Amino acid sequence: QVQLVESGGGLVQAGDSLRLSCAASGRTFSNYVMGWFRQAPGKEREFVAAISWGGTSTYYTDSVKGRFTISRDNAKNTVYLQMTSLNPEDTAVYYCAARRDWGKSEGLRGTGRYDYWGQGTQVTVSS
């Protein structure tokens, strides 16, 4: 069983940077594929990024590619999302999630195969 807690959200201006953290419990954290999702008001939950067990593979949605970087430190049981060049369209509640298998990269976009979810952290970007 894995418990996830996000932190690092806040209110920033367009063009600013922000680093989100997701702290995980459990001795087998390194065996999980980790992902970040976000949900804006009135919209469905959207995939943002994912990272493999060892951190060697990453996958991003097109709208954040080149601006966001996902990373993990298995020794600290933590996954990060470094966000740069933020704009108001990035405003959302950001969720950390964990799943057992990578599978097909396109399949990482769906929420169904993620077994554990954090409670989310709010990111608000003003213009």
Side-chain angles (χ1 to χ4, degrees):
Q1 185 172 332
V2 176
Q3 293 175 304
L4 307 174
V5 180
E6 303 95 335
S7 63
L11 174 63
V12 298
Q13 291 183 283
D16 284 354
S17 298
L18 203 60
R19 189 192 194 192
L20 305 182
S21 298
C22 174
S25 65
R27 293 184 294 275
T28 59
F29 168 76
S30 62
N31 292 331
Y32 286 88
V33 174
M34 302 298 298
W36 285 97
F37 289 76
R38 65 186 182 185
Q39 188 165 20
K43 296 185 178 180
E44 296 182 356
R45 192 164 297 187
E46 174 192 26
F47 171 79
V48 177
I51 188 167
S52 62
W53 296 353
T56 57
S57 297
T58 58
Y59 180 66
Y60 300 89
T61 193
D62 288 342
S63 63
V64 308
K65 190 174 296 184
R67 298 190 298 122
F68 291 9
T69 301
I70 187 171
S71 62
R72 68 191 298 165
D73 186 340
N74 290 339
K76 296 181 178 180
N77 290 343
T78 302
V79 62
Y80 306 95
L81 185 67
Q82 178 66 51
M83 306 182 293
T84 62
S85 301
L86 287 165
N87 59 68
E89 295 181 353
D90 296 316
T91 295
V93 176
Y94 283 71
Y95 298 90
C96 180
R99 59 183 283 168
R100 278 291 188 180
D101 302 312
W102 182 272
K104 297 180 180 179
S105 295
E106 294 81 3
L108 295 171
R109 294 180 171 273
T111 60
R113 294 290 295 275
Y114 290 86
D115 301 310
Y116 305 100
W117 293 84
Q119 293 184 320
T121 185
Q122 177 71 49
V123 173
T124 303
V125 185
S126 63
S127 60

